[in-house]
Amino acid sequence: MFRARRAVVDGVEGPAAVRVSGERVTAVLPHDADPAGARVVELAEDEVLLPGLVDTHVHVNDPGRADWEGFPTATRAAAAGGVTTIVDMPLNSLPPTVDLDALRVKQRAARGRVHVDVGFWGGAVPGNAGELAALHEAGVFGFKCFLLDSGVEEFGHLSPRELHEHMAVTAGLGALLIAHAEDGAIVADAPHGRGYRDFLASRPRAAEDSAIGWVIEAARATGGRAHVVHLSSSDAIGAIAAARAEGVRLTVETCPHYLTFTAEDVPDGATQFKCCPPIREAANRELLWQALRDGVVDVVVSDHSPCTPDLKRLDTGDFGAAWGGVSSLQLGLPAVWTGASARGIGLAEVVGWLAGGTAELVGLRRKGRIAVGCDADLVVFAPDERFTVDARALAHRNPVTPYDGVELRGAVRQTWLRGALVSDGQEPRGALLERGVA
């Protein structure tokens, strides 16, 4: 039994005792309930019991580019950050997960090597619409597409016409299509350069806004479910809200780095901040926070997209040449909590964005909540403890992150996966998940 004076249950923070048997929660009781001989994990006065987080946007890159990130290191980082479930993106690994054979390769690479539970996205690329049904049947959680160059040649991007064609297929399957939404023509016509201001100008808000319009139109025309990944442009919020009001099946995510950092604070040469779409201005950040509070943006995910340090061009500081991606899998909860608490937002609402909402997005019925029948994925969190990030101490493979040296509020002290404490040095016991099973 877990006994906490503060626990987040059913979207509310309050005292609770959580009884666990085997891998599942069997009862949620008043704080002073009789443990009836059970072992008791008593949380300290400064700790809160949370459900394990669900991060549905993680690039593990294994197999093929495991020197960028691999399953053992990524899932250790996840557990250290209170994330008990990740869903792995289909690109940057070799082969990319665009057909059934490639999915089996990915699953073999992960099996027996993961410290948290792991599911997989399939890929939607030119010419593979006929592969989607088999991937869906095999249990992927949906299909990721790019609407401009993905950065890796083996994962092509869809034109607006191909987006409609693929979404017609996913609509027929009842599957979710998720889109990296930037208009490549606008990006190609924008100015480019080495510095951060040059990079920001090269990925203007208009590129996101235009491509999000394509996604809305495809979802409207096909009746399919669509999801916009890593929203950074606040200018798109009105169009998103209007589409949802008319019944378009559209959900949206943003990321901790868009809620934490601002373009004004990114120094030239600090390529650890480069991501696509980019970190924008302070006023834009506040509008993203408001969209979260208003429910227009549904969830927050890491978009952990690492690479080797040389690809970040840290030696030259060239934003135009550097790989775009932020490494942050271990830091999502404290980063979002730091920003939320400063704005008067409660911990229960943060948990909804990082756990309950993400589990619901991909249909993980037993994840993201503390409730009877759910997996006993539990996190002991100290919301008032402050720490300064040391990139070298993080568990992901390469010690590069824009959070290095940043003071954050909130520390994960323990993570429990299906009733067992995840600790350093233990054998991996994470499971591979399939849609509709977990």
Side-chain angles (χ1 to χ4, degrees), residues 151-237:
V152 290
E153 63 181 359
E154 67 274 2
F155 197 93
H157 66 281
L158 302 182
S159 68
R161 176 183 58 80
E162 290 166 327
L163 173 65
H164 276 255
E165 292 171 353
H166 280 72
M167 199 176 295
V169 175
T170 59
L173 296 171
L176 178 62
L177 185 68
I178 69 175
H180 179 128
E182 290 181 282
D183 183 330
I186 293 176
V187 171
D189 288 342
H192 291 70
R194 292 172 56 90
Y196 189 72
R197 301 305 177 273
D198 300 319
F199 171 62
L200 183 61
S202 77
R203 316 288 288 225
R205 298 186 204 188
E208 275 191 87
D209 305 340
S210 172
I212 288 170
W214 301 345
V215 175
I216 290 170
E217 177 53 35
R220 180 187 289 121
T222 63
R225 287 181 63 210
H227 178 76
V228 172
V229 300
H230 50 51
L231 177 72
S232 84
S233 171
S234 62
D235 289 353
I237 291 169

Side-chain angles (χ1 to χ4, degrees), residues 12 27 43 183 191 226 258 344 375 378 402:
V12 177
L43 271 66
D183 183 330
Y258 300 130
D375 288 350
L378 301 168

Side-chain angles (χ1 to χ4, degrees), residues 248-313:
V248 175
R249 302 173 70 195
L250 179 70
T251 49
V252 181
E253 70 188 35
T254 193
C255 304
H257 41 278
Y258 300 130
L259 301 171
T260 300
F261 302 114
T262 67
E264 294 89 338
D265 297 331
V266 178
D268 280 347
T271 52
Q272 62 270 30
F273 287 87
K274 180 177 178 179
C275 54
C276 301
I279 294 164
R280 303 193 188 277
E281 300 82 0
N284 183 88
R285 177 184 66 180
E286 296 312 309
L287 290 170
L288 291 178
W289 274 108
Q290 190 58 51
L292 270 169
R293 301 194 75 173
D294 292 342
V296 179
V297 175
D298 301 271
V299 295
V300 182
V301 297
S302 69
D303 187 13
H304 178 69
S305 185
C307 65
T308 52
D310 61 299
L311 293 178
K312 273 295 188 185
R313 302 293 194 268

Side-chain angles (χ1 to χ4, degrees), residues 37-390:
R39 175 195 173 196
V40 176
V41 177
E42 191 83 43
L43 271 66
E45 292 288 336
D46 67 335
E47 295 174 340
V48 186
L49 187 67
L50 308 179
L53 308 183
V54 177
D55 191 337
T56 55
H57 194 144
V58 179
H59 295 264
V60 179
N61 309 332
D62 191 357
R65 292 190 174 101
D67 55 335
W68 295 18
E69 187 70 279
F71 282 110
T73 49
T75 55
R76 278 198 296 267
V83 177
T84 52
T85 304
I86 66 170
V87 186
D88 173 58
M89 284 291 164
L91 72 158
N92 301 339
S93 56
L94 295 170
T97 315
V98 296
D99 56 37
L100 186 58
D101 288 344
L103 174 64
R104 298 309 185 206
V105 170
K106 172 81 79 168
Q107 290 169 328
R108 286 195 296 272
R111 189 166 290 114
R113 302 175 67 228
V114 295
H115 296 273
V116 300
D117 291 350
V118 177
F120 302 96
W121 294 105
V125 298
N128 88 323
E131 306 289 345
L132 303 188
L135 283 165
H136 180 74
E137 181 66 23
V140 298
F141 285 85
F143 299 93
K144 167 74 174 287
C145 71
F146 272 70
L147 302 181
L148 82 170
D149 185 356
S150 71
V152 290
E153 63 181 359
E154 67 274 2
F155 197 93
H157 66 281
L158 302 182
S159 68
R161 176 183 58 80
E162 290 166 327
L163 173 65
H164 276 255
E165 292 171 353
H166 280 72
M167 199 176 295
V169 175
T170 59
L173 296 171
L176 178 62
L177 185 68
I178 69 175
H180 179 128
E182 290 181 282
D183 183 330
I186 293 176
V187 171
D189 288 342
H192 291 70
R194 292 172 56 90
Y196 189 72
R197 301 305 177 273
D198 300 319
F199 171 62
L200 183 61
S202 77
R203 316 288 288 225
R205 298 186 204 188
E208 275 191 87
D209 305 340
S210 172
I212 288 170
W214 301 345
V215 175
I216 290 170
E217 177 53 35
R220 180 187 289 121
T222 63
R225 287 181 63 210
H227 178 76
V228 172
V229 300
H230 50 51
L231 177 72
S232 84
S233 171
S234 62
D235 289 353
I237 291 169
I240 291 165
R244 288 162 60 137
E246 70 172 83
V248 175
R249 302 173 70 195
L250 179 70
T251 49
V252 181
E253 70 188 35
T254 193
C255 304
H257 41 278
Y258 300 130
L259 301 171
T260 300
F261 302 114
T262 67
E264 294 89 338
D265 297 331
V266 178
D268 280 347
T271 52
Q272 62 270 30
F273 287 87
K274 180 177 178 179
C275 54
C276 301
I279 294 164
R280 303 193 188 277
E281 300 82 0
N284 183 88
R285 177 184 66 180
E286 296 312 309
L287 290 170
L288 291 178
W289 274 108
Q290 190 58 51
L292 270 169
R293 301 194 75 173
D294 292 342
V296 179
V297 175
D298 301 271
V299 295
V300 182
V301 297
S302 69
D303 187 13
H304 178 69
S305 185
C307 65
T308 52
D310 61 299
L311 293 178
K312 273 295 188 185
R313 302 293 194 268
L314 298 169
D315 54 342
T316 65
D318 186 342
F319 273 91
W323 175 260
V326 166
S327 297
S328 61
L329 179 54
Q330 189 170 334
L331 300 171
L333 175 56
V336 176
W337 172 236
T338 299
S341 59
R343 292 166 175 81
I345 300 169
L347 189 54
E349 194 165 4
V350 169
V351 169
W353 297 331
L354 296 171
T358 44
E360 182 178 359
L361 174 72
V362 294
L364 286 168
R365 299 183 301 273
R366 299 202 305 264
K367 302 291 188 181
R369 300 178 296 137
I370 299 176
V372 174
C374 286
D375 288 350
D377 296 346
L378 301 168
V379 175
V380 177
F381 183 61
D384 296 323
E385 181 178 332
R386 294 182 180 273
F387 69 100
T388 299
V389 177
D390 178 356

